[in-house]
Amino acid sequence: MKTAAALLLIALCCAAGQAAAERNLSAHRPAAAKSAIAAARPLSTLGSTSLHLSALDPADVEAMRAENAQSGLRALKLGAVRDLASTPDAGSAALQWHAVSGGQVAQWRIVADGARALRVELSVRQAPAGMRARFAAEDDARRPMEARLPALGTLWSPVIEGDRAIVELFAPEGADTTQVSIAIAKVAQHFWSPAAAQVGAAVAKSASGGSCQMDLACVAPSDPALARAATAVSRITYVSDGYVYACTGTLLNPGDGSFTPYYYTAAHCIHDQEAASSIAALWFDAADGCGGTQARSPEQTAGGAQLLVADVGLDGALLRLNEMPPEGVVYAGWDSLPVAAGTGIVGIHHPEGGLKKVSEGAAGPYADARFVSAAWSEGATAPGSSGSGLFTAIEQPRADYLLRGTLIGGNSACTGGAPSGQDVYSRLDQMWPKLAPYLSAHAPDSNFTGLWWDPAEPGWGLSVQHQGGVIMATLFGYASSGEPRWYIASAMREQADGDFRGDLFEMSGPTFGTTPWGQAVMRNAGSMRIVFAGPAAARVEFSIDGATFAKDIAPMVFGATGRAVCSFTEGSRADAKNYQDLWWNPSESGWGLAIAHQGDVLFAVLFTYDEQHRATWIVGSEVRLRSDGSYSGELYRTRGSAFGSDEWQPAAATPVGSITLQFSDGESALLSYTIDGRTVRTPITRLVAAPSVPTCR
């Protein structure tokens, strides 16, 4: 018979310093295996609910244009956001559903007077499993862009050209459309389209003499390494504080070889998760010749991104794109050493949100030593260039261009056909200690504690607690009935190859809140293996009752500061201000609370048992810091696709109560929660099973 403490270890269990300088070369991701892709089904013509938006106020448009013309920070305003929260026809109750092959569809038709482009934000409160949204310009309805709806939350559309857009909801056969609660929350109304076909601007020493901007195509033929690096650079459009903006950013090559889509830009462009979630990136947007026309329509990857690092003081932001970039894009190389004054530099950017340009010049000192200045001999930057990369060339071991910083702003301009002024760039070497956990090839002290998931399959996850050479992992997902279930790998030991492996157990125990608490029971249900490709990428393989599954996973990111970075300590954590860990009550083994902590928000998963004593879990997805120092938020019960489903359907979330956490210090707290009218209050502490435990920041 196991003791209570031992049972928990089997059931529910069963730093900072300057990073070493590194550099990494650019690389192409290996091409994915080709597969047959079904042609996109044109949008339905069975009828729509109409929404009509008046034109933006001309005075507001002129004010935005005037702001874009100023020197300084070089994000580019493209338009304003219209809030439709109080518009009756913007809600799903106004939709008319029509039967089509495989299910039902309903549409909104949006007309925005004078708009050059639109983006639409959908707010999802309830959606049947398998529901999808599709977006198209009204005059191009045969080529819709499709997106999977979240179980709960918001989704921004890709950029839709023109002033007329169609938003179509598709509910699969058998779905109850009376349970749909989706609304058009906002529309970003553009006075300039970032996706429209363009003609290359005049290049250096052009006949007009009015511009010194230099198309990539002017220099790429004689410099293949530069042409290669330039494909890593894209425009981004995003929504922030009531406006829609354009900036530039660069896809980076992580040192661990994982090809995780890390994307680097300026923090004054993207500094919170709300803006990151709205990102759409446009790739391959360059002229077909020096001063020529647009070579091809840009390829969009919408779906937003996870904000990993945002340092407003140093003006650097690292994101992880939720969608993989298109094939043919290069992952740029980088160098974490400082750039010496006088070094030749190249800027690759999208001024005015337009076609890709190149600036050439030399680095210089800046009054604030945290930054570097750039004086251009060819080309200049402009609004829309913000966040673009500063590159330096190398010849060995092969010709390449390495990222060294990102554009903050400046006053460079084309004066009489020649560049003048100077720009200011952030320094990658200053940001490197915060970037190293993601980009470094060497992470000897990595601690993987936290919540992991597959962003493409929201609704299930893996709680990881890393102590010494052992990982305790709780897999939470759904049974074949759709009901929430969890399994525990209590002692996954590190192997010689760096993988973690161990048995996987199914639990049963007392109904939550039972007093006095009884004993949990376990059975061996299978096994689990986790292969970490770095601090932000892994693959989990698990078997449950003979069925085997494998999934690529990443840390869950939901807070404004990005994911917490964890390391090991053997000291006290009483002064810790980050509570990411697995918590429990030592006198009630068999249940626990997994907490991920980012900024002022906790994501909490309560692992416990239902009335039938089966393992169940409840989630608090937004447990926020309150003025009294406590954290509180709603609790949800979810239903979703069974473990390892090939066709994952979005989970459905139902509010069932609330949770409050009052931390007395970094090692103890009072947990209070209410589920279905039953209230529980209990002290909890961090679970400790080894001398070396996680500490996160």
Side-chain angles (χ1 to χ4, degrees):
M1 183 69 67
K2 293 179 172 61
T3 66
L7 179 60
L8 179 68
L9 294 179
I10 294 176
L12 201 54
C13 60
C14 348
Q18 183 67 34
E22 294 183 50
R23 78 174 185 179
N24 195 30
L25 302 186
S26 63
H28 274 105
R29 185 177 82 249
K34 300 294 184 182
S35 59
I37 301 176
R41 178 176 60 82
L43 295 185
S44 169
T45 57
L46 295 175
S48 305
T49 297
S50 295
L51 293 171
H52 183 229
L53 303 179
S54 61
L56 296 175
D57 186 325
D60 292 339
V61 173
E62 286 307 308
M64 287 186 274
R65 292 185 185 277
E67 184 178 343
N68 288 339
Q70 296 175 4
S71 61
L73 297 179
R74 299 216 156 180
L76 179 73
K77 278 187 176 177
L78 302 179
V81 177
R82 309 289 285 269
D83 191 337
L84 303 186
S86 59
T87 305
D89 285 347
S92 51
L95 293 175
Q96 301 176 18
W97 291 91
H98 304 277
V100 296
S101 176
Q104 300 180 73
V105 297
Q107 289 181 352
W108 284 284
R109 178 176 177 269
I110 303 168
V111 178
D113 294 341
R116 299 293 300 276
L118 300 171
R119 293 190 70 193
V120 179
E121 184 190 47
L122 294 179
S123 174
V124 182
R125 293 190 176 182
Q126 188 168 338
M131 196 162 196
R132 284 170 164 75
R134 302 202 299 162
F135 308 90
E138 187 178 73
D139 61 0
D140 197 14
R142 298 191 63 83
R143 296 193 303 164
M145 297 169 280
E146 185 170 285
R148 178 182 295 173
L149 287 168
L152 183 70
T154 60
L155 171 74
W156 275 100
S157 76
V159 177
I160 305 167
E161 286 192 65
D163 63 351
R164 298 166 188 264
I166 298 174
V167 178
E168 181 176 276
L169 303 180
F170 172 80
E173 191 170 349
D176 183 0
T177 57
T178 65
Q179 299 301 307
V180 173
S181 180
I182 299 174
I184 294 181
K186 298 173 184 176
V187 173
Q189 207 164 328
H190 298 54
F191 62 80
W192 188 88
S193 171
Q198 301 175 54
V199 176
V203 299
K205 301 178 177 62
S206 65
S208 69
S211 176
C212 62
Q213 296 290 5
M214 185 163 59
D215 281 323
L216 171 66
C218 298
V219 291
S222 61
D223 194 341
L226 179 61
R228 173 186 170 94
T231 67
V233 177
S234 73
R235 287 187 288 153
I236 53 172
T237 176
Y238 62 95
V239 173
S240 180
D241 296 329
Y243 295 95
V244 57
Y245 291 87
C247 277
T248 304
T250 306
L251 185 70
L252 296 184
N253 185 24
D256 59 14
S258 65
F259 289 102
T260 302
Y262 293 129
Y263 192 86
Y264 196 54
T265 188
H268 76 262
C269 294
I270 306 295
H271 53 265
D272 57 36
Q273 184 56 47
E274 183 176 4
S277 295
S278 70
I279 283 176
L282 296 95
W283 308 86
F284 305 119
D285 201 2
D288 59 0
C290 194
T293 61
Q294 193 169 27
R296 58 194 282 192
S297 296
E299 292 189 36
Q300 283 196 65
T301 51
Q306 301 172 63
L307 181 63
L308 304 176
V309 174
D311 189 316
V312 176
L314 295 176
D315 207 13
L318 184 69
L319 317 170
R320 185 185 190 276
L321 300 179
N322 289 335
E323 290 187 11
M324 294 299 290
E327 288 191 9
V329 168
V330 163
Y331 289 62
W334 42 265
D335 191 330
S336 70
L337 286 172
V339 179
T343 300
I345 54 175
V346 170
I348 307 174
H349 54 105
H350 287 275
E352 304 293 346
L355 300 180
K356 194 167 295 178
K357 309 294 181 184
V358 174
S359 301
E360 298 176 349
Y366 189 67
D368 186 333
R370 297 175 302 167
F371 308 108
V372 63
S373 68
W376 304 117
S377 56
E378 298 283 356
T381 66
S385 301
S386 268
S388 61
L390 181 74
F391 293 83
T392 56
I394 62 169
E395 294 298 329
Q396 297 295 331
R398 60 172 168 82
D400 205 352
Y401 282 81
L402 307 183
L403 187 87
R404 311 299 291 274
T406 57
L407 178 66
I408 298 173
N411 60 3
S412 74
C414 293
T415 304
S420 61
Q422 71 171 7
D423 288 327
V424 181
Y425 282 79
S426 69
R427 289 170 46 178
L428 191 76
D429 62 292
Q430 291 285 314
M431 286 288 296
W432 181 244
K434 295 186 176 184
L435 303 179
Y438 303 95
L439 300 178
S440 174
H442 311 289
D445 200 32
S446 291
N447 185 292
F448 303 114
T449 295
L451 292 176
W452 293 67
W453 70 329
D454 179 352
E457 297 182 352
W460 72 273
L462 188 71
S463 168
V464 171
Q465 194 200 34
H466 191 181
Q467 298 192 17
V470 178
I471 278 179
M472 295 157 279
T474 309
L475 177 68
F476 55 101
Y478 308 95
S480 58
S481 64
E483 296 292 327
R485 294 285 183 270
W486 57 269
Y487 294 80
I488 182 79
S490 57
M492 301 181 67
R493 298 193 177 278
E494 188 170 7
Q495 308 298 306
D497 59 4
D499 299 350
F500 291 82
R501 304 182 190 187
D503 290 333
L504 193 63
F505 298 93
E506 181 182 32
M507 302 299 301
S508 59
T511 301
F512 73 91
T514 296
T515 305
W517 184 256
Q519 187 173 10
V521 178
M522 59 189 295
R523 76 171 183 90
N524 194 316
S527 62
M528 181 181 287
R529 174 180 180 239
I530 307 177
V531 182
F532 291 98
R539 185 168 181 82
V540 59
E541 301 169 357
F542 58 95
S543 64
I544 299 175
D545 295 331
T548 301
F549 312 99
K551 296 288 182 181
D552 292 322
I553 55 175
M556 183 180 295
V557 178
F558 52 86
T561 60
R563 78 169 180 92
V565 177
C566 302
S567 57
F568 292 100
T569 184
E570 295 187 3
S572 169
R573 292 173 289 177
D575 293 333
K577 302 303 181 184
N578 186 291
Y579 306 118
Q580 183 158 299
D581 212 335
L582 185 60
W583 296 69
W584 69 320
N585 182 331
S587 65
E588 296 180 353
S589 62
W591 72 269
L593 185 73
I595 295 175
H597 188 177
Q598 297 172 19
D600 291 340
V601 183
L602 308 180
F603 191 108
V605 184
L606 177 64
F607 300 111
T608 185
Y609 308 95
D610 62 18
E611 298 286 352
Q612 287 73 45
H613 309 294
R614 298 170 301 195
T616 190
W617 55 275
I618 306 292
V619 61
S621 57
E622 192 174 352
V623 184
R624 290 194 168 274
L625 178 64
R626 307 302 174 184
S627 58
D628 63 356
S630 67
Y631 291 79
S632 63
E634 284 194 276
L635 287 175
Y636 298 89
R637 182 180 289 115
T638 60
R639 292 178 58 88
S641 300
F643 280 106
S645 295
D646 292 331
E647 285 294 328
W648 183 263
Q649 305 298 336
T654 303
V656 293
S658 61
I659 183 172
T660 299
L661 285 154
Q662 184 71 60
F663 293 92
S664 52
D665 58 31
E667 295 187 332
S668 57
L670 178 64
L671 165 66
S672 303
Y673 63 90
T674 300
I675 300 175
D676 298 332
R678 179 186 296 178
T679 299
V680 176
R681 289 170 59 87
T682 182
I684 56 174
T685 62
R686 294 179 188 260
L687 188 147
V688 177
S692 183
V693 292
T695 179
C696 306
R697 53 182 170 84

